[in-house]
Amino acid sequence: MSVELATGRRRTTGGAETVSYTDPLTGLGNRARLRDKITKLVRERSLDPAPFTVGLVNLDGFRPINDLFGHTAGDDILCQVAHRLRACMPPGAVAVRLENDAFAFVLPLVFDQRGAEKVSDVFKDVLSAPYDLGKRTVRLSSSFGFAIYPYAGEDYGTLMESVDTALYRSKRRGRGQVTVYSVDIAEEMKRATQLEQALRRAIIADEVDVHFQPIVDLRNGIPVGFEALARWHDTELGFVSPATFIPLAEERGIIEPLTETMLRKATRTALSWPAEMFLSFNLSSAQLLDPSTHDKIMAILNTVGFDPLRLGLEITETAMMADPEIANSIIDSLRAEGVSISLDDFGTGQSSLGRLREIALDKVKIDRAFVSEITRDRPSEHIIKAIIALCEGLDLEVVAEGIETAEQAGKLLELGCSIGQGYFYGRPMAADQVELFISAAAPEQAAQ
């Protein structure tokens, strides 16, 4: 064989190897490159047992970028992410793109949790800078998971399982979070996975119920509407709090079938109520990121035959802040159909006054944290008074949450709030109890 031919074959082989190890979009390494790097490090460190760190990063809220601006814009952002990661990698480190907006890196000289958290601080700052899309810029936060060899695993497969677990935990806790794998975290996530599987079964079997809490006229205690609330009692787990399973459903991507089922059940129940009574229903943060939310809600209302004018949707400031442009578009389209929009938990977010100016709203719900202190805490009283005055100026209806005593109800009326809900007027009740509650209030209503 000639020297030239042998050399040519080596070049061809080397070129093929380069391609097989490279992500075609970003030019970073790919999953094969990651596996090779970790496998070699494990082999080296088994002889000289020094730790090293594997990390994963996901961009928070990346999917709506593709939905809103198109895949070209999404690809542009991914290339910018790759450039930033490549520029800030420590000596000896390797960054790769796995798929979509998932990137991984190997840090041979990061030996412990403190070191991993320091690196994540740098990466978070770098990735949170604005991304240039030509005529506009966007900002994205990032979630991180880390696993340290050999404590989180002694081979490629185990390390990747551990770092996946750490990233899932970060994303469950919210945006911009960092988790370093530990045995305790693994147990926590195992319990969450078991709960998720039970919830999936419950949704399919239609075992998640809707209860209804009355919303009343504070002047006479007569119900004007009801808020729909999810309730789940599992045969093995017992009662599972909505504060536990709702965030889990959002994190694991099953909030959509859950909320659609809940809305369908709630609207069917509300059909039998007096026509002047409205149904209040909570929108999840995931639904305010999904451009198809309007069509899905209207399809349910049309199928059930429920008047959109009787539906009030509750949103939170936190959900709005994830992507205000998409959220406002969804809200505007629903309001055009006659659906009313309430801002829930008002006063507890980061920019309440700004949100009142930016969002097309119909109602504001005063958070229970202020209501519970209204009769014994002057600052809470003044805050509620200011909220009521502000809403009057903006032509917004005010609803007080968490009313538990006659004194609280009296103070709210004195300050100018005439609509509210809370245990003083009624706890959440099953569908068959609602009509009894309405009937019991009817004689009082006739006497007014």
Side-chain angles (χ1 to χ4, degrees):
M1 183 185 293
S2 69
V3 174
E4 289 81 2
L5 181 57
T7 303
R9 285 186 176 178
R10 283 196 298 270
R11 285 174 180 166
T12 302
T13 302
E17 183 178 337
T18 299
V19 171
S20 68
Y21 272 56
T22 303
D23 173 57
L25 175 65
T26 64
L28 292 179
N30 58 13
R31 191 178 292 274
R33 176 76 175 107
L34 178 69
R35 178 188 291 271
D36 183 70
K37 178 68 174 178
I38 291 176
T39 302
K40 286 179 179 178
L41 269 174
V42 166
R43 191 181 307 124
E44 294 169 5
R45 300 293 167 95
S46 65
L47 301 173
D48 179 18
F52 67 86
T53 297
V54 180
L56 285 179
V57 58
N58 270 177
L59 302 178
D60 301 323
F62 176 74
R63 192 185 76 173
I65 297 296
N66 280 331
D67 295 338
L68 193 61
F69 303 124
H71 288 279
T72 300
D75 288 349
D76 194 2
I77 288 176
L78 294 176
C79 289
Q80 292 181 54
V81 169
H83 176 74
R84 296 180 190 186
L85 286 175
R86 189 183 291 113
C88 67
M89 280 293 139
V94 171
V96 306
R97 177 179 176 236
L98 300 180
E99 65 270 318
N100 300 324
D101 64 319
F103 293 81
F105 36 88
V106 185
L107 307 167
L109 302 180
V110 174
F111 307 128
D112 55 23
Q113 178 172 338
R114 184 177 179 186
E117 290 171 347
K118 282 186 176 180
V119 168
S120 72
D121 288 341
V122 174
F123 289 178
K124 282 172 69 174
D125 288 343
V126 167
L127 297 180
S128 65
Y131 292 90
D132 184 6
L133 295 180
K135 294 182 179 180
R136 66 170 65 238
T137 60
V138 297
R139 287 183 177 271
L140 296 169
S141 59
S142 304
S143 297
F144 292 83
F146 292 93
I148 301 172
Y149 169 90
Y151 319 113
E154 298 183 10
D155 57 61
Y156 171 80
T158 308
L159 282 168
M160 292 308 294
E161 287 178 6
S162 297
V163 77
D164 269 331
T165 296
L167 180 62
Y168 266 122
R169 198 232 187 194
S170 288
K171 295 179 78 67
R172 187 182 178 198
R173 294 168 62 201
R175 293 168 177 259
Q177 299 295 314
V178 178
T179 300
V180 180
Y181 177 90
S182 69
V183 173
D184 289 343
I185 286 171
E187 285 298 318
E188 174 190 324
M189 296 310 296
K190 181 180 179 181
R191 289 192 297 271
T193 299
Q194 292 170 340
L195 185 63
E196 174 199 352
Q197 292 170 348
L199 180 58
R200 287 183 184 274
R201 290 193 298 268
I203 293 171
I204 293 171
D206 197 19
E207 294 174 351
V208 183
D209 296 321
V210 183
H211 282 207
F212 301 88
Q213 184 173 36
I215 301 171
V216 307
D217 186 329
L218 300 185
R219 292 166 295 190
N220 50 31
I222 294 172
V224 295
F226 291 82
E227 179 180 356
L229 300 166
R231 292 293 183 267
W232 177 31
H233 189 280
D234 185 78
T235 52
E236 295 181 4
L237 301 172
F239 175 77
V240 184
S241 169
T244 298
F245 73 81
I246 295 296
L248 181 69
E250 290 186 335
E251 179 225 329
R252 300 298 172 96
I254 54 177
I255 191 66
E256 182 177 312
L258 175 60
T259 53
E260 287 182 8
T261 299
M262 294 297 97
L263 181 59
R264 194 173 292 110
K265 283 184 173 183
T267 49
R268 283 174 180 163
T269 298
L271 281 176
S272 64
W273 302 347
E276 67 274 10
M277 286 190 181
F278 64 86
L279 170 69
S280 189
F281 191 87
N282 291 278
L283 275 190
S284 71
S285 56
Q287 289 171 293
L288 283 177
L289 290 171
D290 182 358
S292 66
T293 291
H294 164 269
D295 293 343
K296 291 174 181 176
I297 289 176
M298 294 309 302
I300 291 171
L301 298 185
N302 291 333
T303 300
V304 173
F306 192 76
D307 186 353
L309 293 172
R310 295 181 61 198
L311 179 63
L313 295 175
E314 299 187 16
I315 63 174
T316 64
E317 291 179 58
T318 304
M320 280 296 306
M321 290 168 67
D323 195 314
E325 190 164 354
I326 292 178
N328 274 311
S329 174
I330 293 169
I331 288 169
D332 289 344
S333 64
L334 287 168
R335 290 186 80 241
E337 304 281 2
V339 176
S340 66
I341 304 294
S342 301
L343 188 61
D344 198 12
D345 300 336
F346 185 76
T348 61
Q350 299 179 16
S351 52
S352 300
L353 296 180
R355 292 288 170 249
L356 285 183
R357 182 174 55 86
E358 295 166 9
I359 309 170
L361 294 170
D362 300 285
K363 301 177 184 179
V364 165
K365 300 191 78 173
I366 302 175
D367 187 73
R368 65 185 65 248
F370 299 115
V371 174
S372 65
E373 300 294 327
I374 190 172
T375 59
R376 55 178 181 265
D377 179 58
R378 293 283 291 174
S380 292
E381 179 183 338
H382 286 300
I383 289 170
I384 290 176
K385 185 176 182 180
I387 291 172
I388 293 170
L390 180 65
C391 290
E392 285 179 352
L394 296 173
D395 198 25
L396 298 174
E397 186 176 339
V398 181
V399 180
E401 294 184 295
I403 303 171
E404 297 186 355
T405 68
E407 290 77 16
Q408 292 169 356
K411 178 58 72 172
L412 286 163
L413 270 173
E414 180 185 319
L415 295 176
C417 176
S418 59
I419 305 294
Q421 65 187 100
Y423 287 175
F424 179 67
Y425 293 102
R427 293 175 177 269
M429 61 192 75
D432 58 355
Q433 297 175 305
V434 173
E435 291 196 26
L436 293 175
F437 186 92
I438 294 173
S439 298
E444 299 176 24
Q445 191 167 8
Q448 297 300 318

